[in-house]
Amino acid sequence: MIQWSLRGRVILVCALSFAGGATVMAFGRSLFRDWWLSVFRNYALCTYVNGIDTTSTQCDPWTGTSQWLVGAGLLVGAVLLFWLFRLVARGIVRPITAMTDIVWQLGPQNLGQRIRYRGPRDEVRELADALDEMLNRVATGYEGQRRFASNASHELRTPLAVQRTLVEVAMVTGEQDMSRLAAQLLAVNERNERLIEGLLVLAESDRGLPGTEPVRFDTLVGEVLDKFAEQAEKNQVTLHRGMVARTVSGDPVLLDRMVSNLVHNAIKYNVPGGAIEVVVAAEPTLSIHNTGQQVPAETVPALWEPFRRLTAERTNQRDGAGLGMSIVRSIVTAHNGTVSAAPGDHGGLKVTVKLP
């Protein structure tokens, strides 16, 4: 069975309409003319052929019965023609109507439903495929937001419970222990502030870039390394840098945050006497490799999820909220880049960032 594309059907309808109109004009023009003159001018035209000359003269009008019959036939023909065109138009837009019905049924409860149009590869098929791809992105984003909200609520519930416990203890404790409890409460509050700040940065990066500008990426990375030099020295970690001139288009604030998170993690999850190698090149744009404990390959994909760390301990981690790598991925994605991670050859983790 031949499947006509939308464009082919429209061309066919236009061609048939033109052919039908030409046929009606050729065979029905004189009939309509005579009916019109007979009804509204009270005469008809009589044509006489004399050799090669054709002459027309006025004749007596048609009878009333003839006028009514021809008039009714013309009316019925017009109605049938309108109905035929309406039927053809409905057939042309039927695939779009079916897609509209499916889209109206979509909701949070059935985001897995798809159009899956199997017609000819035409404009309608392209529209259906684009809608299916959009629904895939919507479902992925919705599931990510749901998982993120669940993890965020879990992370916030724990420190809030700790704060409540500290306050309850402070209410029944002597003054000599108040300073210690206040210090613990302050540490918990500082962690909550970092968590909220991380959530805000992650939300902003997920929204995309409001604007871009040329950024000297090698200069930016150098400034970030200078900022973390004291922390690296305190942790007995050596910073090695190798950079070439590299300019990218993006948001300097978000790029600074992305590099800072990677360098901070490379220092944090290192060992005394360890090292960090930071390379800026044409391809890949950034590569950061640190020494440290061996990272199992199966745990690397989970590091990009919010509130995930290399260690299973969550509540005792006061330096960060487990959002660093998620923020890195969101910022790189907002810049139309890619980021990947793999276990280092001699321990630690190697992160590679590619920016256009």
Side-chain angles (χ1 to χ4, degrees):
M1 181 178 179
I2 299 177
Q3 290 184 329
W4 291 83
S5 65
L6 178 63
R7 183 177 301 177
R9 281 177 283 181
V10 171
I11 294 175
L12 178 63
V13 169
C14 293
L16 292 177
S17 300
F18 179 79
T23 302
V24 171
M25 289 294 296
F27 295 98
R29 180 180 59 180
S30 59
L31 177 65
F32 179 77
R33 179 200 62 190
D34 291 345
W35 175 82
W36 182 273
L37 293 176
S38 178
V39 173
F40 297 100
R41 298 293 181 87
N42 201 29
Y43 68 84
L45 287 180
C46 297
T47 303
Y48 302 96
V49 179
N50 183 15
I52 60 175
D53 296 328
T54 301
T55 58
S56 298
T57 184
Q58 295 183 5
C59 296
D60 293 334
W62 293 355
T63 64
T65 302
S66 299
Q67 293 178 0
W68 280 107
L69 289 176
V70 174
L74 292 174
L75 179 62
V76 171
V79 171
L80 289 177
L81 190 62
F82 175 79
W83 176 82
L84 178 61
F85 283 152
R86 181 181 178 86
L87 185 65
V88 173
R90 183 179 301 175
I92 292 176
V93 301
R94 183 179 294 113
I96 300 178
T97 304
M99 286 189 289
T100 303
D101 294 338
I102 294 176
V103 172
W104 274 113
Q105 296 172 7
L106 291 175
Q109 72 282 356
N110 60 344
L111 284 177
Q113 186 174 355
R114 296 295 180 268
I115 297 175
R116 295 185 177 89
Y117 180 70
R118 293 296 177 265
R121 292 190 174 277
D122 58 355
E123 293 80 1
V124 178
R125 177 72 173 270
E126 293 178 0
L127 175 61
D129 293 343
L131 287 174
D132 283 342
E133 183 61 29
M134 181 196 69
L135 291 174
N136 290 335
R137 296 194 298 270
V138 170
T140 301
Y142 185 84
E143 177 61 24
Q145 292 294 330
R146 186 195 63 79
R147 186 171 61 253
F148 179 82
S150 176
N151 292 333
S153 63
H154 179 80
E155 284 288 326
L156 289 172
R157 189 182 298 114
T158 300
L160 289 176
V162 174
Q163 289 182 14
R164 182 180 61 186
T165 302
L166 292 176
V167 172
E168 292 175 349
V169 172
M171 294 175 62
V172 297
T173 303
E175 294 183 0
Q176 63 275 14
D177 294 329
M178 290 296 293
S179 296
R180 180 176 58 84
L181 293 175
Q184 294 179 0
L185 186 59
L186 180 61
V188 174
N189 284 339
E190 289 176 350
R191 181 184 181 278
N192 289 342
E193 291 177 357
R194 287 191 294 269
L195 173 61
I196 294 173
E197 181 186 359
L199 291 173
L200 291 175
V201 173
L202 185 59
E204 287 295 326
S205 59
D206 284 340
R207 290 173 57 186
L209 300 178
T212 60
E213 61 181 79
V215 179
R216 275 294 299 269
F217 193 69
D218 55 310
T219 303
L220 183 146
V221 173
E223 294 174 352
V224 172
L225 293 178
D226 293 339
K227 181 174 61 176
F228 281 92
E230 183 178 351
Q231 181 180 347
E233 182 179 357
K234 180 180 179 181
N235 287 270
Q236 303 178 24
V237 174
T238 304
L239 295 176
H240 300 287
R241 63 182 74 185
M243 292 180 284
V244 300
R246 181 72 160 88
T247 301
V248 299
S249 178
D251 187 308
V253 176
L254 289 179
L255 290 174
D256 182 277
R257 182 58 180 265
M258 181 263 293
V259 179
S260 298
N261 283 1
L262 291 176
V263 175
H264 172 76
N265 282 348
I267 297 175
K268 176 181 176 181
Y269 296 103
N270 216 314
V271 293
I276 301 174
E277 182 182 6
V278 181
V279 177
V280 175
E283 187 68 26
T285 309
L286 176 66
S287 175
I288 298 181
H289 184 195
N290 72 324
T291 58
Q293 62 177 333
Q294 192 69 35
V295 180
E298 63 272 12
T299 65
V300 173
L303 295 178
W304 304 109
E305 297 298 327
F307 312 108
R308 299 297 294 269
R309 303 183 179 93
L310 287 174
T311 58
E313 184 63 44
R314 297 162 66 98
T315 57
N316 291 337
Q317 287 284 354
R318 296 185 177 181
D319 187 16
L323 293 171
M325 299 298 281
S326 296
I327 292 175
V328 167
R329 183 178 62 176
S330 295
I331 293 175
V332 173
T333 302
H335 285 79
N336 298 320
T338 59
V339 59
S340 60
D345 297 334
H346 305 286
L349 191 70
K350 183 177 182 179
V351 180
T352 301
V353 177
K354 297 181 180 180
L355 297 175

